[in-house]
Amino acid sequence: MSTAKESRSDSGIIGDVVYHEEYRADLVSLTPMT
Amino acid sequence: MTRRWDRRRRLLIGATTIVLLGAAVFVVRAAWPNDRARSVDASEALERYREATADATVADEPSSSSSAPPVDPPAALPPAGVYRYRTSGSESIDALGGTSHTYPAETTLTVTANGCGVRLRWDVLVERREEWRLCLGDDGIELPPLAASYHEFYGTGRLETQTCDGAVLLLPTDERPRPPVEWFCTLGDHEWLPTWQVLERDTLRVEGRPVAVTHVQMTVTDDDHYSSTPSSTGGSTSTACPWR
């Protein structure tokens, strides 16, 4: 899964902020740990 | 005598100024909010998973007099447990001079049985996680209309709940692409309008083996609070775990 995200919030906990997130995540193993 | 006194006075003023400046720096540093980015170790996620499933086992355990046959979990949903993901990326905000969180090289996705399907919790950091569910519908695996995102900056956390107007089909059992579907949601206090689209089948490699997957894309374009949010995720029709 991957994403690139940019958002602006004027009601956030610390006021008017610009948030940016970018990531990529690849599954390592099909077998889960239990 | 006067010159000596003047020199003492200048020394005193200088020393006082230095002390006051030092105190001011100390006060500002102490009052300035600290920001952290702590990884969630796989062993922590596994411990939490085991505690949760132990509780669920006790709560859900049928009585010995029950004659109901055991129910197998739906085959198309991901088996419960903790999945490891090779991860890269970061998040940042521009508040208070700006700060960023670099994501660790490995993160975990915890899958637990929940209601009509499974609940997924992706722990990116202690300060950042995503939670959503997957259910088995008539036409395949669906994303129910309730999810949550957690963000924490400068020691202050916020859990934003996403509520939408219905479930959206993510992984059709017929494995055919679907046209884009608009979703009406609220995220936190704001309107949020993602579009989901089931794309083509593909093959990815996991543990050196080719595995058939279905690409699914979610896109948000909004000029208001969430100005531009293109994103995509992949899923397997055999496990429904996010892949890439």
mmCIF file with all atom_site columns, all heavy atoms in Angstrom, chain B residues 3 9-10 22 31 50 58 70 86 88-89 92 94-95 121 124 134 151 163 165 175 189 195 199-201 215 242:
data_model
loop_
_atom_site.group_PDB
_atom_site.id
_atom_site.type_symbol
_atom_site.label_atom_id
_atom_site.label_alt_id
_atom_site.label_comp_id
_atom_site.label_asym_id
_atom_site.label_entity_id
_atom_site.label_seq_id
_atom_site.pdbx_PDB_ins_code
_atom_site.Cartn_x
_atom_site.Cartn_y
_atom_site.Cartn_z
_atom_site.occupancy
_atom_site.B_iso_or_equiv
_atom_site.pdbx_formal_charge
_atom_site.auth_seq_id
_atom_site.auth_comp_id
_atom_site.auth_asym_id
_atom_site.auth_atom_id
_atom_site.pdbx_PDB_model_num
ATOM 1   N N   . ARG B 1 3   ? 37.062  53.968  40.076  1.00 0.00 ? 3   ARG B N   1
ATOM 2   C CA  . ARG B 1 3   ? 37.262  53.105  38.911  1.00 0.00 ? 3   ARG B CA  1
ATOM 3   C C   . ARG B 1 3   ? 37.063  51.648  39.280  1.00 0.00 ? 3   ARG B C   1
ATOM 4   O O   . ARG B 1 3   ? 36.493  50.864  38.518  1.00 0.00 ? 3   ARG B O   1
ATOM 5   C CB  . ARG B 1 3   ? 38.669  53.317  38.327  1.00 0.00 ? 3   ARG B CB  1
ATOM 6   C CG  . ARG B 1 3   ? 38.807  54.708  37.702  1.00 0.00 ? 3   ARG B CG  1
ATOM 7   C CD  . ARG B 1 3   ? 40.158  54.897  37.121  1.00 0.00 ? 3   ARG B CD  1
ATOM 8   N NE  . ARG B 1 3   ? 40.426  54.009  36.032  1.00 0.00 ? 3   ARG B NE  1
ATOM 9   C CZ  . ARG B 1 3   ? 41.597  53.936  35.409  1.00 0.00 ? 3   ARG B CZ  1
ATOM 10  N NH1 . ARG B 1 3   ? 42.577  54.705  35.817  1.00 0.00 ? 3   ARG B NH1 1
ATOM 11  N NH2 . ARG B 1 3   ? 41.770  53.124  34.420  1.00 0.00 ? 3   ARG B NH2 1
ATOM 12  N N   . ARG B 1 9   ? 30.784  47.106  39.184  1.00 0.00 ? 9   ARG B N   1
ATOM 13  C CA  . ARG B 1 9   ? 29.387  47.257  38.757  1.00 0.00 ? 9   ARG B CA  1
ATOM 14  C C   . ARG B 1 9   ? 29.163  46.662  37.365  1.00 0.00 ? 9   ARG B C   1
ATOM 15  O O   . ARG B 1 9   ? 28.177  45.986  37.105  1.00 0.00 ? 9   ARG B O   1
ATOM 16  C CB  . ARG B 1 9   ? 29.010  48.745  38.761  1.00 0.00 ? 9   ARG B CB  1
ATOM 17  C CG  . ARG B 1 9   ? 27.498  48.952  38.670  1.00 0.00 ? 9   ARG B CG  1
ATOM 18  C CD  . ARG B 1 9   ? 27.125  50.378  38.870  1.00 0.00 ? 9   ARG B CD  1
ATOM 19  N NE  . ARG B 1 9   ? 27.724  51.228  37.858  1.00 0.00 ? 9   ARG B NE  1
ATOM 20  C CZ  . ARG B 1 9   ? 27.484  52.523  37.750  1.00 0.00 ? 9   ARG B CZ  1
ATOM 21  N NH1 . ARG B 1 9   ? 26.693  53.131  38.606  1.00 0.00 ? 9   ARG B NH1 1
ATOM 22  N NH2 . ARG B 1 9   ? 28.056  53.240  36.820  1.00 0.00 ? 9   ARG B NH2 1
ATOM 23  N N   . ARG B 1 10  ? 30.146  46.912  36.474  1.00 0.00 ? 10  ARG B N   1
ATOM 24  C CA  . ARG B 1 10  ? 30.017  46.345  35.119  1.00 0.00 ? 10  ARG B CA  1
ATOM 25  C C   . ARG B 1 10  ? 30.044  44.823  35.154  1.00 0.00 ? 10  ARG B C   1
ATOM 26  O O   . ARG B 1 10  ? 29.284  44.155  34.452  1.00 0.00 ? 10  ARG B O   1
ATOM 27  C CB  . ARG B 1 10  ? 31.147  46.875  34.232  1.00 0.00 ? 10  ARG B CB  1
ATOM 28  C CG  . ARG B 1 10  ? 30.894  48.287  33.714  1.00 0.00 ? 10  ARG B CG  1
ATOM 29  C CD  . ARG B 1 10  ? 31.779  48.589  32.508  1.00 0.00 ? 10  ARG B CD  1
ATOM 30  N NE  . ARG B 1 10  ? 33.186  48.523  32.825  1.00 0.00 ? 10  ARG B NE  1
ATOM 31  C CZ  . ARG B 1 10  ? 33.898  49.560  33.274  1.00 0.00 ? 10  ARG B CZ  1
ATOM 32  N NH1 . ARG B 1 10  ? 33.330  50.730  33.452  1.00 0.00 ? 10  ARG B NH1 1
ATOM 33  N NH2 . ARG B 1 10  ? 35.176  49.425  33.534  1.00 0.00 ? 10  ARG B NH2 1
ATOM 34  N N   . GLY B 1 22  ? 20.338  32.979  30.427  1.00 0.00 ? 22  GLY B N   1
ATOM 35  C CA  . GLY B 1 22  ? 20.331  31.527  30.623  1.00 0.00 ? 22  GLY B CA  1
ATOM 36  C C   . GLY B 1 22  ? 18.999  31.045  31.150  1.00 0.00 ? 22  GLY B C   1
ATOM 37  O O   . GLY B 1 22  ? 18.458  30.030  30.693  1.00 0.00 ? 22  GLY B O   1
ATOM 38  N N   . ALA B 1 31  ? 9.266   25.068  28.307  1.00 0.00 ? 31  ALA B N   1
ATOM 39  C CA  . ALA B 1 31  ? 7.865   25.278  27.959  1.00 0.00 ? 31  ALA B CA  1
ATOM 40  C C   . ALA B 1 31  ? 7.551   24.835  26.537  1.00 0.00 ? 31  ALA B C   1
ATOM 41  O O   . ALA B 1 31  ? 6.402   24.553  26.209  1.00 0.00 ? 31  ALA B O   1
ATOM 42  C CB  . ALA B 1 31  ? 7.513   26.758  28.125  1.00 0.00 ? 31  ALA B CB  1
ATOM 43  N N   . ARG B 1 50  ? -2.275  -10.934 21.262  1.00 0.00 ? 50  ARG B N   1
ATOM 44  C CA  . ARG B 1 50  ? -2.549  -12.134 22.064  1.00 0.00 ? 50  ARG B CA  1
ATOM 45  C C   . ARG B 1 50  ? -3.475  -11.818 23.236  1.00 0.00 ? 50  ARG B C   1
ATOM 46  O O   . ARG B 1 50  ? -4.356  -12.608 23.565  1.00 0.00 ? 50  ARG B O   1
ATOM 47  C CB  . ARG B 1 50  ? -1.228  -12.734 22.555  1.00 0.00 ? 50  ARG B CB  1
ATOM 48  C CG  . ARG B 1 50  ? -0.485  -13.454 21.442  1.00 0.00 ? 50  ARG B CG  1
ATOM 49  C CD  . ARG B 1 50  ? 0.898   -13.897 21.876  1.00 0.00 ? 50  ARG B CD  1
ATOM 50  N NE  . ARG B 1 50  ? 1.560   -14.676 20.833  1.00 0.00 ? 50  ARG B NE  1
ATOM 51  C CZ  . ARG B 1 50  ? 2.865   -14.933 20.815  1.00 0.00 ? 50  ARG B CZ  1
ATOM 52  N NH1 . ARG B 1 50  ? 3.648   -14.450 21.778  1.00 0.00 ? 50  ARG B NH1 1
ATOM 53  N NH2 . ARG B 1 50  ? 3.386   -15.640 19.840  1.00 0.00 ? 50  ARG B NH2 1
ATOM 54  N N   . VAL B 1 58  ? -12.247 -16.012 25.605  1.00 0.00 ? 58  VAL B N   1
ATOM 55  C CA  . VAL B 1 58  ? -13.026 -16.226 26.826  1.00 0.00 ? 58  VAL B CA  1
ATOM 56  C C   . VAL B 1 58  ? -14.454 -15.742 26.627  1.00 0.00 ? 58  VAL B C   1
ATOM 57  O O   . VAL B 1 58  ? -15.418 -16.415 26.972  1.00 0.00 ? 58  VAL B O   1
ATOM 58  C CB  . VAL B 1 58  ? -12.372 -15.482 28.008  1.00 0.00 ? 58  VAL B CB  1
ATOM 59  C CG1 . VAL B 1 58  ? -13.274 -15.531 29.225  1.00 0.00 ? 58  VAL B CG1 1
ATOM 60  C CG2 . VAL B 1 58  ? -11.029 -16.122 28.323  1.00 0.00 ? 58  VAL B CG2 1
ATOM 61  N N   . PRO B 1 70  ? -18.936 -25.724 14.704  1.00 0.00 ? 70  PRO B N   1
ATOM 62  C CA  . PRO B 1 70  ? -17.957 -24.639 14.658  1.00 0.00 ? 70  PRO B CA  1
ATOM 63  C C   . PRO B 1 70  ? -18.053 -23.888 13.343  1.00 0.00 ? 70  PRO B C   1
ATOM 64  O O   . PRO B 1 70  ? -18.337 -24.477 12.296  1.00 0.00 ? 70  PRO B O   1
ATOM 65  C CB  . PRO B 1 70  ? -16.611 -25.378 14.787  1.00 0.00 ? 70  PRO B CB  1
ATOM 66  C CG  . PRO B 1 70  ? -16.897 -26.777 14.362  1.00 0.00 ? 70  PRO B CG  1
ATOM 67  C CD  . PRO B 1 70  ? -18.320 -27.048 14.738  1.00 0.00 ? 70  PRO B CD  1
ATOM 68  N N   . ARG B 1 86  ? 7.393   -3.969  5.310   1.00 0.00 ? 86  ARG B N   1
ATOM 69  C CA  . ARG B 1 86  ? 8.597   -3.176  5.054   1.00 0.00 ? 86  ARG B CA  1
ATOM 70  C C   . ARG B 1 86  ? 8.112   -1.773  4.674   1.00 0.00 ? 86  ARG B C   1
ATOM 71  O O   . ARG B 1 86  ? 7.316   -1.620  3.741   1.00 0.00 ? 86  ARG B O   1
ATOM 72  C CB  . ARG B 1 86  ? 9.402   -3.821  3.928   1.00 0.00 ? 86  ARG B CB  1
ATOM 73  C CG  . ARG B 1 86  ? 10.771  -3.275  3.736   1.00 0.00 ? 86  ARG B CG  1
ATOM 74  C CD  . ARG B 1 86  ? 11.619  -4.177  2.850   1.00 0.00 ? 86  ARG B CD  1
ATOM 75  N NE  . ARG B 1 86  ? 10.878  -4.724  1.703   1.00 0.00 ? 86  ARG B NE  1
ATOM 76  C CZ  . ARG B 1 86  ? 10.482  -5.985  1.610   1.00 0.00 ? 86  ARG B CZ  1
ATOM 77  N NH1 . ARG B 1 86  ? 10.734  -6.854  2.549   1.00 0.00 ? 86  ARG B NH1 1
ATOM 78  N NH2 . ARG B 1 86  ? 9.807   -6.418  0.552   1.00 0.00 ? 86  ARG B NH2 1
ATOM 79  N N   . SER B 1 88  ? 8.530   2.652   4.319   1.00 0.00 ? 88  SER B N   1
ATOM 80  C CA  . SER B 1 88  ? 9.304   3.887   4.192   1.00 0.00 ? 88  SER B CA  1
ATOM 81  C C   . SER B 1 88  ? 8.320   5.035   4.110   1.00 0.00 ? 88  SER B C   1
ATOM 82  O O   . SER B 1 88  ? 7.174   4.850   3.709   1.00 0.00 ? 88  SER B O   1
ATOM 83  C CB  . SER B 1 88  ? 10.207  3.857   2.955   1.00 0.00 ? 88  SER B CB  1
ATOM 84  O OG  . SER B 1 88  ? 9.412   3.742   1.790   1.00 0.00 ? 88  SER B OG  1
ATOM 85  N N   . GLY B 1 89  ? 8.749   6.216   4.506   1.00 0.00 ? 89  GLY B N   1
ATOM 86  C CA  . GLY B 1 89  ? 7.872   7.364   4.406   1.00 0.00 ? 89  GLY B CA  1
ATOM 87  C C   . GLY B 1 89  ? 7.970   8.251   5.620   1.00 0.00 ? 89  GLY B C   1
ATOM 88  O O   . GLY B 1 89  ? 8.784   8.030   6.523   1.00 0.00 ? 89  GLY B O   1
ATOM 89  N N   . SER B 1 92  ? 4.541   15.100  8.247   1.00 0.00 ? 92  SER B N   1
ATOM 90  C CA  . SER B 1 92  ? 5.051   16.360  8.792   1.00 0.00 ? 92  SER B CA  1
ATOM 91  C C   . SER B 1 92  ? 3.930   17.376  8.900   1.00 0.00 ? 92  SER B C   1
ATOM 92  O O   . SER B 1 92  ? 2.912   17.272  8.212   1.00 0.00 ? 92  SER B O   1
ATOM 93  C CB  . SER B 1 92  ? 6.175   16.913  7.906   1.00 0.00 ? 92  SER B CB  1
ATOM 94  O OG  . SER B 1 92  ? 5.676   17.205  6.615   1.00 0.00 ? 92  SER B OG  1
ATOM 95  N N   . ASP B 1 94  ? 3.500   21.878  9.599   1.00 0.00 ? 94  ASP B N   1
ATOM 96  C CA  . ASP B 1 94  ? 4.283   23.112  9.590   1.00 0.00 ? 94  ASP B CA  1
ATOM 97  C C   . ASP B 1 94  ? 4.070   23.953  10.846  1.00 0.00 ? 94  ASP B C   1
ATOM 98  O O   . ASP B 1 94  ? 4.597   25.061  10.937  1.00 0.00 ? 94  ASP B O   1
ATOM 99  C CB  . ASP B 1 94  ? 3.965   23.935  8.340   1.00 0.00 ? 94  ASP B CB  1
ATOM 100 C CG  . ASP B 1 94  ? 2.529   24.440  8.329   1.00 0.00 ? 94  ASP B CG  1
ATOM 101 O OD1 . ASP B 1 94  ? 1.727   23.977  9.167   1.00 0.00 ? 94  ASP B OD1 1
ATOM 102 O OD2 . ASP B 1 94  ? 2.206   25.297  7.489   1.00 0.00 ? 94  ASP B OD2 1
ATOM 103 N N   . ALA B 1 95  ? 3.326   23.424  11.831  1.00 0.00 ? 95  ALA B N   1
ATOM 104 C CA  . ALA B 1 95  ? 3.030   24.203  13.033  1.00 0.00 ? 95  ALA B CA  1
ATOM 105 C C   . ALA B 1 95  ? 4.252   24.308  13.948  1.00 0.00 ? 95  ALA B C   1
ATOM 106 O O   . ALA B 1 95  ? 5.108   23.422  13.956  1.00 0.00 ? 95  ALA B O   1
ATOM 107 C CB  . ALA B 1 95  ? 1.878   23.555  13.789  1.00 0.00 ? 95  ALA B CB  1
ATOM 108 N N   . ARG B 1 121 ? -5.564  -2.931  12.114  1.00 0.00 ? 121 ARG B N   1
ATOM 109 C CA  . ARG B 1 121 ? -4.930  -1.787  12.784  1.00 0.00 ? 121 ARG B CA  1
ATOM 110 C C   . ARG B 1 121 ? -3.483  -1.717  12.327  1.00 0.00 ? 121 ARG B C   1
ATOM 111 O O   . ARG B 1 121 ? -2.686  -2.610  12.596  1.00 0.00 ? 121 ARG B O   1
ATOM 112 C CB  . ARG B 1 121 ? -5.000  -1.962  14.296  1.00 0.00 ? 121 ARG B CB  1
ATOM 113 C CG  . ARG B 1 121 ? -4.163  -0.933  15.050  1.00 0.00 ? 121 ARG B CG  1
ATOM 114 C CD  . ARG B 1 121 ? -4.316  -1.090  16.537  1.00 0.00 ? 121 ARG B CD  1
ATOM 115 N NE  . ARG B 1 121 ? -3.294  -0.329  17.236  1.00 0.00 ? 121 ARG B NE  1
ATOM 116 C CZ  . ARG B 1 121 ? -3.446  0.223   18.428  1.00 0.00 ? 121 ARG B CZ  1
ATOM 117 N NH1 . ARG B 1 121 ? -4.587  0.096   19.061  1.00 0.00 ? 121 ARG B NH1 1
ATOM 118 N NH2 . ARG B 1 121 ? -2.464  0.886   18.993  1.00 0.00 ? 121 ARG B NH2 1
ATOM 119 N N   . VAL B 1 124 ? 1.858   2.565   12.593  1.00 0.00 ? 124 VAL B N   1
ATOM 120 C CA  . VAL B 1 124 ? 3.006   3.158   11.907  1.00 0.00 ? 124 VAL B CA  1
ATOM 121 C C   . VAL B 1 124 ? 4.022   3.636   12.951  1.00 0.00 ? 124 VAL B C   1
ATOM 122 O O   . VAL B 1 124 ? 5.208   3.369   12.861  1.00 0.00 ? 124 VAL B O   1
ATOM 123 C CB  . VAL B 1 124 ? 2.562   4.340   11.024  1.00 0.00 ? 124 VAL B CB  1
ATOM 124 C CG1 . VAL B 1 124 ? 3.709   4.784   10.146  1.00 0.00 ? 124 VAL B CG1 1
ATOM 125 C CG2 . VAL B 1 124 ? 1.354   3.974   10.192  1.00 0.00 ? 124 VAL B CG2 1
ATOM 126 N N   . LEU B 1 134 ? -12.853 -4.866  7.396   1.00 0.00 ? 134 LEU B N   1
ATOM 127 C CA  . LEU B 1 134 ? -13.214 -5.485  6.132   1.00 0.00 ? 134 LEU B CA  1
ATOM 128 C C   . LEU B 1 134 ? -14.312 -6.505  6.422   1.00 0.00 ? 134 LEU B C   1
ATOM 129 O O   . LEU B 1 134 ? -14.238 -7.234  7.420   1.00 0.00 ? 134 LEU B O   1
ATOM 130 C CB  . LEU B 1 134 ? -12.014 -6.193  5.495   1.00 0.00 ? 134 LEU B CB  1
ATOM 131 C CG  . LEU B 1 134 ? -10.867 -5.308  4.982   1.00 0.00 ? 134 LEU B CG  1
ATOM 132 C CD1 . LEU B 1 134 ? -9.690  -6.170  4.539   1.00 0.00 ? 134 LEU B CD1 1
ATOM 133 C CD2 . LEU B 1 134 ? -11.336 -4.402  3.837   1.00 0.00 ? 134 LEU B CD2 1
ATOM 134 N N   . HIS B 1 151 ? -3.312  10.693  14.980  1.00 0.00 ? 151 HIS B N   1
ATOM 135 C CA  . HIS B 1 151 ? -2.111  11.512  14.785  1.00 0.00 ? 151 HIS B CA  1
ATOM 136 C C   . HIS B 1 151 ? -1.724  12.132  16.121  1.00 0.00 ? 151 HIS B C   1
ATOM 137 O O   . HIS B 1 151 ? -2.595  12.556  16.877  1.00 0.00 ? 151 HIS B O   1
ATOM 138 C CB  . HIS B 1 151 ? -2.367  12.648  13.792  1.00 0.00 ? 151 HIS B CB  1
ATOM 139 C CG  . HIS B 1 151 ? -2.714  12.190  12.412  1.00 0.00 ? 151 HIS B CG  1
ATOM 140 N ND1 . HIS B 1 151 ? -1.768  11.933  11.462  1.00 0.00 ? 151 HIS B ND1 1
ATOM 141 C CD2 . HIS B 1 151 ? -3.903  11.935  11.827  1.00 0.00 ? 151 HIS B CD2 1
ATOM 142 C CE1 . HIS B 1 151 ? -2.352  11.553  10.348  1.00 0.00 ? 151 HIS B CE1 1
ATOM 143 N NE2 . HIS B 1 151 ? -3.652  11.539  10.532  1.00 0.00 ? 151 HIS B NE2 1
ATOM 144 N N   . THR B 1 163 ? -16.607 8.550   8.885   1.00 0.00 ? 163 THR B N   1
ATOM 145 C CA  . THR B 1 163 ? -17.916 7.923   8.757   1.00 0.00 ? 163 THR B CA  1
ATOM 146 C C   . THR B 1 163 ? -18.443 8.186   7.360   1.00 0.00 ? 163 THR B C   1
ATOM 147 O O   . THR B 1 163 ? -18.442 9.334   6.907   1.00 0.00 ? 163 THR B O   1
ATOM 148 C CB  . THR B 1 163 ? -18.903 8.506   9.789   1.00 0.00 ? 163 THR B CB  1
ATOM 149 O OG1 . THR B 1 163 ? -18.299 8.453   11.085  1.00 0.00 ? 163 THR B OG1 1
ATOM 150 C CG2 . THR B 1 163 ? -20.190 7.707   9.810   1.00 0.00 ? 163 THR B CG2 1
ATOM 151 N N   . ASP B 1 165 ? -21.310 6.951   3.928   1.00 0.00 ? 165 ASP B N   1
ATOM 152 C CA  . ASP B 1 165 ? -22.732 6.661   3.727   1.00 0.00 ? 165 ASP B CA  1
ATOM 153 C C   . ASP B 1 165 ? -23.014 5.222   3.313   1.00 0.00 ? 165 ASP B C   1
ATOM 154 O O   . ASP B 1 165 ? -24.083 4.917   2.820   1.00 0.00 ? 165 ASP B O   1
ATOM 155 C CB  . ASP B 1 165 ? -23.316 7.631   2.691   1.00 0.00 ? 165 ASP B CB  1
ATOM 156 C CG  . ASP B 1 165 ? -22.595 7.543   1.354   1.00 0.00 ? 165 ASP B CG  1
ATOM 157 O OD1 . ASP B 1 165 ? -21.549 6.857   1.276   1.00 0.00 ? 165 ASP B OD1 1
ATOM 158 O OD2 . ASP B 1 165 ? -23.066 8.158   0.387   1.00 0.00 ? 165 ASP B OD2 1
ATOM 159 N N   . GLU B 1 175 ? -13.473 -10.750 -9.662  1.00 0.00 ? 175 GLU B N   1
ATOM 160 C CA  . GLU B 1 175 ? -12.130 -10.262 -10.003 1.00 0.00 ? 175 GLU B CA  1
ATOM 161 C C   . GLU B 1 175 ? -12.108 -9.307  -11.186 1.00 0.00 ? 175 GLU B C   1
ATOM 162 O O   . GLU B 1 175 ? -11.077 -9.117  -11.829 1.00 0.00 ? 175 GLU B O   1
ATOM 163 C CB  . GLU B 1 175 ? -11.173 -11.441 -10.261 1.00 0.00 ? 175 GLU B CB  1
ATOM 164 C CG  . GLU B 1 175 ? -11.047 -12.369 -9.068  1.00 0.00 ? 175 GLU B CG  1
ATOM 165 C CD  . GLU B 1 175 ? -10.124 -13.542 -9.338  1.00 0.00 ? 175 GLU B CD  1
ATOM 166 O OE1 . GLU B 1 175 ? -9.691  -13.679 -10.497 1.00 0.00 ? 175 GLU B OE1 1
ATOM 167 O OE2 . GLU B 1 175 ? -9.847  -14.300 -8.398  1.00 0.00 ? 175 GLU B OE2 1
ATOM 168 N N   . ASP B 1 189 ? -14.347 16.727  11.589  1.00 0.00 ? 189 ASP B N   1
ATOM 169 C CA  . ASP B 1 189 ? -15.504 17.624  11.505  1.00 0.00 ? 189 ASP B CA  1
ATOM 170 C C   . ASP B 1 189 ? -15.792 18.046  10.068  1.00 0.00 ? 189 ASP B C   1
ATOM 171 O O   . ASP B 1 189 ? -16.656 18.898  9.839   1.00 0.00 ? 189 ASP B O   1
ATOM 172 C CB  . ASP B 1 189 ? -15.242 18.894  12.344  1.00 0.00 ? 189 ASP B CB  1
ATOM 173 C CG  . ASP B 1 189 ? -14.959 18.563  13.790  1.00 0.00 ? 189 ASP B CG  1
ATOM 174 O OD1 . ASP B 1 189 ? -15.561 17.586  14.279  1.00 0.00 ? 189 ASP B OD1 1
ATOM 175 O OD2 . ASP B 1 189 ? -14.143 19.266  14.419  1.00 0.00 ? 189 ASP B OD2 1
ATOM 176 N N   . THR B 1 195 ? -12.976 8.794   -3.748  1.00 0.00 ? 195 THR B N   1
ATOM 177 C CA  . THR B 1 195 ? -13.463 7.958   -4.841  1.00 0.00 ? 195 THR B CA  1
ATOM 178 C C   . THR B 1 195 ? -12.670 6.657   -4.850  1.00 0.00 ? 195 THR B C   1
ATOM 179 O O   . THR B 1 195 ? -11.430 6.687   -4.832  1.00 0.00 ? 195 THR B O   1
ATOM 180 C CB  . THR B 1 195 ? -13.290 8.679   -6.199  1.00 0.00 ? 195 THR B CB  1
ATOM 181 O OG1 . THR B 1 195 ? -14.074 9.871   -6.190  1.00 0.00 ? 195 THR B OG1 1
ATOM 182 C CG2 . THR B 1 195 ? -13.735 7.788   -7.344  1.00 0.00 ? 195 THR B CG2 1
ATOM 183 N N   . LEU B 1 199 ? -9.197  -1.718  -9.727  1.00 0.00 ? 199 LEU B N   1
ATOM 184 C CA  . LEU B 1 199 ? -8.413  -1.709  -10.971 1.00 0.00 ? 199 LEU B CA  1
ATOM 185 C C   . LEU B 1 199 ? -8.111  -3.125  -11.437 1.00 0.00 ? 199 LEU B C   1
ATOM 186 O O   . LEU B 1 199 ? -8.781  -4.086  -11.037 1.00 0.00 ? 199 LEU B O   1
ATOM 187 C CB  . LEU B 1 199 ? -7.131  -0.901  -10.748 1.00 0.00 ? 199 LEU B CB  1
ATOM 188 C CG  . LEU B 1 199 ? -7.344  0.544   -10.278 1.00 0.00 ? 199 LEU B CG  1
ATOM 189 C CD1 . LEU B 1 199 ? -6.019  1.199   -9.925  1.00 0.00 ? 199 LEU B CD1 1
ATOM 190 C CD2 . LEU B 1 199 ? -8.073  1.352   -11.339 1.00 0.00 ? 199 LEU B CD2 1
ATOM 191 N N   . GLU B 1 200 ? -7.087  -3.234  -12.216 1.00 0.00 ? 200 GLU B N   1
ATOM 192 C CA  . GLU B 1 200 ? -6.758  -4.495  -12.866 1.00 0.00 ? 200 GLU B CA  1
ATOM 193 C C   . GLU B 1 200 ? -6.085  -5.504  -11.923 1.00 0.00 ? 200 GLU B C   1
ATOM 194 O O   . GLU B 1 200 ? -5.576  -5.131  -10.864 1.00 0.00 ? 200 GLU B O   1
ATOM 195 C CB  . GLU B 1 200 ? -5.821  -4.235  -14.056 1.00 0.00 ? 200 GLU B CB  1
ATOM 196 C CG  . GLU B 1 200 ? -4.373  -3.937  -13.656 1.00 0.00 ? 200 GLU B CG  1
ATOM 197 C CD  . GLU B 1 200 ? -4.147  -2.553  -13.057 1.00 0.00 ? 200 GLU B CD  1
ATOM 198 O OE1 . GLU B 1 200 ? -5.103  -1.751  -13.004 1.00 0.00 ? 200 GLU B OE1 1
ATOM 199 O OE2 . GLU B 1 200 ? -3.003  -2.265  -12.638 1.00 0.00 ? 200 GLU B OE2 1
ATOM 200 N N   . ARG B 1 201 ? -6.094  -6.721  -12.324 1.00 0.00 ? 201 ARG B N   1
ATOM 201 C CA  . ARG B 1 201 ? -5.352  -7.759  -11.603 1.00 0.00 ? 201 ARG B CA  1
ATOM 202 C C   . ARG B 1 201 ? -3.868  -7.623  -11.929 1.00 0.00 ? 201 ARG B C   1
ATOM 203 O O   . ARG B 1 201 ? -3.480  -7.087  -12.957 1.00 0.00 ? 201 ARG B O   1
ATOM 204 C CB  . ARG B 1 201 ? -5.843  -9.151  -12.040 1.00 0.00 ? 201 ARG B CB  1
ATOM 205 C CG  . ARG B 1 201 ? -7.295  -9.405  -11.684 1.00 0.00 ? 201 ARG B CG  1
ATOM 206 C CD  . ARG B 1 201 ? -7.458  -9.877  -10.272 1.00 0.00 ? 201 ARG B CD  1
ATOM 207 N NE  . ARG B 1 201 ? -6.947  -11.255 -10.113 1.00 0.00 ? 201 ARG B NE  1
ATOM 208 C CZ  . ARG B 1 201 ? -6.712  -11.819 -8.950  1.00 0.00 ? 201 ARG B CZ  1
ATOM 209 N NH1 . ARG B 1 201 ? -6.879  -11.129 -7.841  1.00 0.00 ? 201 ARG B NH1 1
ATOM 210 N NH2 . ARG B 1 201 ? -6.298  -13.074 -8.877  1.00 0.00 ? 201 ARG B NH2 1
ATOM 211 N N   . HIS B 1 215 ? -5.466  -4.468  -7.735  1.00 0.00 ? 215 HIS B N   1
ATOM 212 C CA  . HIS B 1 215 ? -5.169  -3.101  -7.321  1.00 0.00 ? 215 HIS B CA  1
ATOM 213 C C   . HIS B 1 215 ? -6.467  -2.348  -7.049  1.00 0.00 ? 215 HIS B C   1
ATOM 214 O O   . HIS B 1 215 ? -7.429  -2.446  -7.804  1.00 0.00 ? 215 HIS B O   1
ATOM 215 C CB  . HIS B 1 215 ? -4.391  -2.364  -8.417  1.00 0.00 ? 215 HIS B CB  1
ATOM 216 C CG  . HIS B 1 215 ? -2.970  -2.820  -8.523  1.00 0.00 ? 215 HIS B CG  1
ATOM 217 N ND1 . HIS B 1 215 ? -2.041  -2.576  -7.546  1.00 0.00 ? 215 HIS B ND1 1
ATOM 218 C CD2 . HIS B 1 215 ? -2.326  -3.512  -9.499  1.00 0.00 ? 215 HIS B CD2 1
ATOM 219 C CE1 . HIS B 1 215 ? -0.881  -3.094  -7.903  1.00 0.00 ? 215 HIS B CE1 1
ATOM 220 N NE2 . HIS B 1 215 ? -1.033  -3.674  -9.086  1.00 0.00 ? 215 HIS B NE2 1
ATOM 221 N N   . PRO B 1 242 ? -3.730  -5.472  2.727   1.00 0.00 ? 242 PRO B N   1
ATOM 222 C CA  . PRO B 1 242 ? -3.115  -4.442  1.893   1.00 0.00 ? 242 PRO B CA  1
ATOM 223 C C   . PRO B 1 242 ? -1.703  -4.868  1.509   1.00 0.00 ? 242 PRO B C   1
ATOM 224 O O   . PRO B 1 242 ? -0.955  -5.370  2.353   1.00 0.00 ? 242 PRO B O   1
ATOM 225 C CB  . PRO B 1 242 ? -3.081  -3.220  2.813   1.00 0.00 ? 242 PRO B CB  1
ATOM 226 C CG  . PRO B 1 242 ? -4.045  -3.515  3.897   1.00 0.00 ? 242 PRO B CG  1
ATOM 227 C CD  . PRO B 1 242 ? -4.057  -4.992  4.057   1.00 0.00 ? 242 PRO B CD  1
#
